[in-house]
Amino acid sequence: MSTVPRIGRPSLSAALSTFVAFALKASLWLWVVFNLAMLVWIFLNSVKSSRDIFAHPLGLPTTWHWDNFWTALTTSGLGVAALNTVVLVAVSVAVIMALSVPAAYALARLGGRSAGPITSLFSAGMSVPFQAFAVPMVLISVGLSRFMVEWITGAWDPRITVAIFYVALSLPFSVFVLVGYFRSLPSELEEAGALDGAGSFRTFLSIMVPLAKSGITTVTVLNVLGLWNETMIVLLLVPNQGMQTLNVALLNFYSDMQYTSDWGGLFAGIVIVVAPMVILYFWVGRRVVSGMTEGIGK
Amino acid sequence: MYMPLLLPALIVYVVLFIVPALYGMTLSFASWAGLGSAFHWVGVKNYVDLFTSPVFLSSFWNTLVLTAVVGVAIFLVSCGAMIVLRSTKGHSFIRSAVFVPYIISPIAIGLSVSFLFNPKGMINTLLGLLGLDGLQRPWLAPENILQVIMVGLTWSAAGFYVVLLMSAVDAIPASLYESAQIEGANLLQQFRHITLPLTRDMISVAAVLWVIAGIKTFEIIIAFTGTAGTPPLEARSLAVEQYLRVTGGPAGGIPQLGSAAAIGVIMTAITVVLILLSRRISRREALEM
């Protein structure tokens, strides 16, 4: 072991470095404590009376107002909004995956001149901000609704338009990450499948999809997270309050606060929006996070 | 033979993503209040009007400031984590816990953080208890609100980048750190000479991802200021300004679809320029090292 340190003088800089390291570690733990405290604080506020929230901001509720959740779900319309959100997210994510998984597999395996440019075409979409679509989206939504009402079905639901754009705008990211996944899988298995006489579609369904399960789970969960928290598309396309999603309902709830002052109910609403995603994260979170960082890094 | 698998997604992408994006670009050269009203081609007038409008310029400036300041804050926080998190006890728990705000809806983040900062809220109460009355502010007043929003945004986003960059740190062979320790390099030197050069690619990816996310900041500002009122000029980002022009604003004004589309084009352009710039910067740092 060499006794002459090659880099830096030990005494002063070592002491400084120890101090910096200690300070950084302490700050990281402080950050962790703050995050957990915020979750607990939001939860406690959701079961307090509005007076308690202001009089005892840090204490336990004097009486536990579980009825805040009931008020939020019924009177403030978060129940309907929750149903809208669940259906919208479930349908959109199902379609996104049904489109992007086969496409990503094809792009990963399609040799030659076409695959590269098409993959780039998809990933270029990731750098187009949502705002480039705001105006066309509003016009297409109005036009589509008129067209369907006057010519085809006689009725139209703006939530369908929202789902259509959810799918379209989620494709670039989903395809990009999944292509990376499929590329990392060995191709020997498909060759074996082909020798056994399985067609490319059979090979894809029965061999590649199970192999790419962790990547597919990651992308599914990330899409669920993203669309669950989406607000602007619904704000722009859905004027009818009964058809809006949780985040927009929460904003409406907040706008009514000057008349209702139901702060306990507002925090109950926040818990209703946040809790499903926190549960999802603690259920599949770690796997998803590692899958995501792998996928992005590629 | 792979075409049947690819075609459905490709068709949806072209028809519902590329075509609308080009349509939006075309509309930015028109003056229009929506279907059923008069439509005129106006050339680049929308762009000229925007860049001479103080309201637009302030939202343009706010967006750049917000993206830059929060980006630097996230970078510093991530560097701190990259210096010590490897050797901290409970590091996987810390990672899971700092990531949590990222999965919370920005609306919920905005409502909760703005509640902490309201005039009689916890922040001012705590400052009072600590005897720091001089630091108490009307945090949500127009002159302070953008700073508070930036704090909230940093809090909600930083965990994601820490986790992302730590995954790159994990990929560095532990033997490099061990031999550096034997040679007497302290944590800061290890960071400077091992971690930073070897995570350069991921830092560049993270910068690109932040630019994409930062430019379109919308929900958290709306949550801070509410949909009932118009967000004050001091807190308006480009996305908020565009939203007000698409809808005509809460006062029920006339939608300005042409200039709203132009804002969308400008935001795309800024995003692309900043992505190229952050790639260039991380490449140059690589050369210096």
Side-chain angles (χ1 to χ4, degrees), chain B:
Chain B
M1 70 181 186
Y2 291 112
M3 271 305 165
L5 297 174
L6 173 62
L7 272 181
L10 191 60
I11 292 170
V12 170
Y13 182 63
V14 170
V15 173
L16 292 166
F17 192 103
I18 296 179
V19 171
L22 296 176
Y23 181 40
M25 211 183 268
T26 320
L27 286 172
S28 73
F29 301 107
S31 164
W32 204 15
L35 297 174
S37 64
F39 179 97
H40 307 286
W41 291 110
V42 293
V44 294
K45 183 172 176 293
N46 286 325
Y47 292 91
V48 175
D49 286 353
L50 283 175
F51 281 102
T52 49
S53 144
V55 173
F56 169 80
L57 287 175
S58 113
S59 68
F60 188 84
W61 178 242
N62 287 342
T63 305
L64 292 185
V65 167
L66 182 141
T67 307
V69 171
V70 177
V72 168
I74 290 175
F75 181 69
L76 293 178
V77 170
S78 305
C79 284
M82 285 159 80
I83 293 173
V84 293
L85 198 49
R86 258 186 79 253
S87 54
T88 306
K89 264 185 203 153
H91 57 90
S92 59
F93 174 71
I94 294 181
R95 282 192 216 191
S96 309
V98 298
F99 193 79
V100 167
Y102 186 74
I103 60 168
I104 296 179
S105 132
I107 300 287
I109 297 264
L111 293 180
S112 331
V113 174
S114 71
F115 191 79
L116 285 179
F117 280 94
N118 77 40
K120 291 183 176 174
M122 202 117 79
I123 300 290
N124 275 343
T125 311
L126 279 178
L127 287 173
L129 287 176
L130 293 169
L132 298 169
D133 304 53
L135 290 177
Q136 289 177 343
R137 298 253 181 301
W139 295 106
L140 302 181
E143 68 270 22
N144 296 322
I145 194 164
L146 187 64
Q147 295 156 32
V148 180
I149 289 173
M150 291 195 284
V151 170
L153 200 55
T154 309
W155 173 59
S156 75
F160 170 77
Y161 295 93
V162 167
V163 169
L164 190 64
L165 291 169
M166 284 311 292
S167 77
V169 174
D170 286 344
I172 300 173
S175 58
L176 282 179
Y177 289 105
E178 283 157 17
S179 59
Q181 259 168 347
I182 290 170
E183 301 208 357
N186 63 42
L187 280 172
L188 294 178
Q189 289 163 331
Q190 291 174 28
F191 173 70
R192 169 81 177 77
H193 296 283
I194 300 174
T195 313
L196 210 50
L198 289 177
T199 53
R200 200 182 65 220
D201 290 346
M202 194 58 111
I203 292 175
S204 159
V205 170
V208 168
L209 289 177
W210 167 248
V211 165
I212 292 174
I215 294 289
K216 56 185 178 193
T217 305
F218 173 76
E219 286 93 343
I220 194 167
I221 298 177
I222 291 288
F224 259 88
T225 53
T227 43
T230 315
L233 274 184
E234 290 86 343
R236 264 188 223 175
S237 66
L238 283 171
V240 173
E241 179 61 26
Q242 188 204 34
Y243 174 72
L244 295 175
R245 284 177 195 241
V246 175
T247 56
I254 300 164
Q256 301 167 278
L257 296 185
S259 69
I263 294 179
V265 173
I266 293 168
M267 289 177 69
T268 312
I270 305 174
T271 309
V272 171
V273 168
L274 287 182
I275 287 175
L276 296 177
L277 207 67
S278 49
R279 282 205 181 145
R280 173 66 61 83
I281 289 172
S282 53
R283 209 174 297 150
R284 187 181 304 154
E285 269 179 6
L287 289 176
E288 279 168 7
M289 253 174 283

Side-chain angles (χ1 to χ4, degrees), chain A residues 101-103 105 182 199-210, chain B residues 5:
Chain A
V101 172
Y105 170 65
F182 280 115
S200 61
F201 191 71
R202 273 282 313 274
T203 319
F204 164 68
L205 267 191
S206 53
I207 301 178
M208 297 315 282
V209 169
Chain B
L5 297 174

